[in-house]
Amino acid sequence: MARYGMALDYKNCINCKACEVACKEENGVLLGADKHRIWVGVKEVEGQWPNLDIVSNTFVPSQCQHCEDAPCQEVCPTHATYYDENHVVRVNSDKCILCSYCMNACPYDARYVDDRTMTVDKCTFCSDTRLARGETTTACQNTCPTKVRTFGDLDDPESEISILLKTRDHFSLKSHLGTNPKLFYLT
Amino acid sequence: MSIKEFITSIPVNKVGIKDILKFEKSPTNLLVAALTLLFLAFFVIGVGIYLVHGHHAYGVTRQHPWGLLIAVYIFFVVSSTGLCIVGSLGDVFGFKDYEMISKRAIFGSIVTILGGFAVIAFEIGHPVRMLIYNILSPGMRSAIWWMGTLYGIYLTFMIIEFIFLLKHDMKNARIFGLIGLLVGLAAHSNLGGVFGFLNSRTISNGVFYPTYFILTAFITGIYIAFIMMGFRYKLRFPDNAKVMLTNLALIQALLLAILMFFETWKMLTGIYGGMPGRADVAEHILTTWPFWAEVIFGMLIPFLVALLTKGKNHVMMFWASLIGMVGIFFMRYDLVHDTQLKPLQMMKTREYMLPPEWVHYFPSSTEMMISLGGLGIVVLLYYVGTKVFNLDADAH
């Protein structure tokens, strides 16, 4: 049992999108389903030449926030969305009725319809693939050339992510909604 | 009395297909009949397209997963709850003036909710799975679970109440009517809760929708009461109907005044302070034509007609109620669409130099056909009901 989370040193992101490709390859995400499981948000350079505000140009990699208090889990009428033993927010496609309430309730727009099963899908922290094989990294983390992502057990005080969160300042997205995300953006 | 005896003692008219096809061939009747058949054909075609293409046949997207069919489902279940309230005035609360519409309104509440179920069955991706896992794995913290389950119970009570009304067993009709009304109100406010619980959608989040749904249900029920009575008496109302309709028109004026007051404050509190995600959405809503269609058709015109005629011009109220129902449709559409207007993933909206924009949605032809089909089903069931059952008040 673990309590998995992810820290993102997002200022290191170079928007190469290797994470998106690796996620698709690892988890069998359909081609064309771009920016579905994970994505890189882009903030373009502000200002006009030659007075460009270079620091305004940022890349913000994101995905399901694996909230401790996930609105998508609360609103599911059939418990298709559930927390697994590792506190990962998962979807049991056999129970999903495709009412799309979770898609409306998720503040991060992190859910999408998988056209093969016609059920709602999302990032699983590679629980069905890499974690199921006994590995301890996600595909997006493993492939990142600038080591933006650090994945690990938040309950293990010796884990790399726990040490990072103790030593680096960080924030969560839309934290005012009380969802307690387990994705942390390092500043 | 055995169950078989109970069922066989329900008073029904023995009618065949020939009797159902027999009606006065007036231009209005022929137009309604032709439109109903057309809408039923639309339903068959729309469902056929949906079964082949699934949700791809709809205009819904990842950012706008709820579309026209959800709005139409709400339209029908609001109508059902409203008719249940109107029907309960006579047989549950004992107001004698309204007893003449009780049976008709309760039957209307049954057929409208069936129309809603017929539409939502083709919006929910896996309706059969829903029936199974609603019971095996209930999500008790989900407003959709409560809404769906309570509506199922509500329908059962409405049918039982209707049977007792047919048998003129007013005591049992009152008991089941009261339980059905309470369950219906709970179900309906839970439907408001489906939107009110959305913390991520600040324009909808809060107490407004669960209460507003009950208010607008009553308003919708009165609109439909005028329409049903108008068709029943071909706009030549008998004296006892005139008394009831005048009262209903005055109640309607009061309810519409309250609704406009609520809406005004909803928009004011939405805009005040400039809270991102709420104020910008509220300001945007004010610039959209469906909102003004909702206000003008659904509220202003019927309100002015009821007020200026003091509720006494029933023919004008009939036409105002038809216009009102068009407004009520836009009210439901706006509720669903406006909730999803604001893109949630703010980072993504800034990609590729695109400025932040509103989520776009327009219903596909398949959605329109299934929606109109729902209306066709409701009209057909109601018409058959007028032939099979005696929906007029029984003589005391």
Side-chain angles (χ1 to χ4, degrees), chain A:
Chain A
M1 304 304 123
R3 190 167 65 91
Y4 284 126
M6 185 176 276
L8 296 107
D9 203 351
Y10 74 102
K11 287 177 185 168
N12 284 353
C13 179
I14 56 171
N15 198 18
C16 67
K17 295 190 172 64
C19 52
E20 287 187 32
V21 176
C23 174
K24 273 192 175 160
E25 175 67 22
E26 184 71 64
N27 297 296
V29 179
L30 282 174
L31 288 175
D34 295 328
K35 304 176 189 67
H36 278 40
R37 277 208 185 196
I38 62 171
W39 57 87
V40 178
V42 180
K43 191 178 176 217
E44 302 283 354
V45 179
E46 290 174 1
Q48 286 193 333
W49 175 264
N51 298 316
L52 293 174
D53 181 1
I54 293 172
V55 292
S56 68
N57 182 206
T58 52
F59 303 122
V60 185
S62 196
Q63 61 203 66
C64 167
Q65 306 286 307
H66 291 282
C67 310
E68 299 266 20
D69 299 295
C72 59
Q73 194 276 335
E74 272 191 345
V75 301
C76 180
T78 57
H79 277 311
T81 300
Y82 65 102
Y83 301 105
D84 76 2
E85 65 277 13
N86 294 321
H87 293 249
V88 176
V89 181
R90 307 270 296 276
V91 179
N92 179 345
S93 61
D94 289 339
K95 286 186 183 178
C96 177
I97 62 171
L98 194 57
C99 66
S100 310
Y101 198 8
C102 53
M103 294 172 76
N104 253 322
C106 171
Y108 308 99
D109 198 9
R111 291 176 158 253
Y112 66 97
V113 179
D114 185 334
D115 282 338
R116 291 163 297 192
T117 58
M118 286 312 289
T119 54
V120 178
D121 204 354
K122 60 185 283 301
C123 160
T124 61
F125 273 161
C126 293
S127 293
D128 291 324
T129 50
R130 298 176 72 89
L131 295 191
R133 294 197 299 265
E135 294 179 43
T136 54
T137 57
T138 62
C140 54
Q141 173 203 12
N142 199 45
T143 196
C144 182
T146 54
K147 300 295 172 203
V148 166
R149 294 158 195 264
T150 304
F151 174 75
D153 183 3
L154 297 167
D155 282 345
D156 176 5
E158 302 302 319
S159 68
E160 193 182 350
I161 186 171
S162 294
I163 293 167
L164 259 179
L165 294 178
K166 272 186 271 186
T167 54
R168 296 273 302 272
D169 207 359
H170 53 85
F171 66 92
S172 300
L173 298 181
K174 300 187 182 180
S175 55
H176 63 285
L177 292 176
T179 52
N180 296 317
K182 291 204 293 293
L183 249 66
F184 305 93
Y185 289 82
L186 302 171
T187 57

Side-chain angles (χ1 to χ4, degrees), chain B residues 19 54 126 144 152 169 185 210 219 264 288 302:
Chain B
D19 300 305
H126 304 281
I144 280 194
D169 181 346
L185 292 178
I219 290 169
T264 305
T288 57

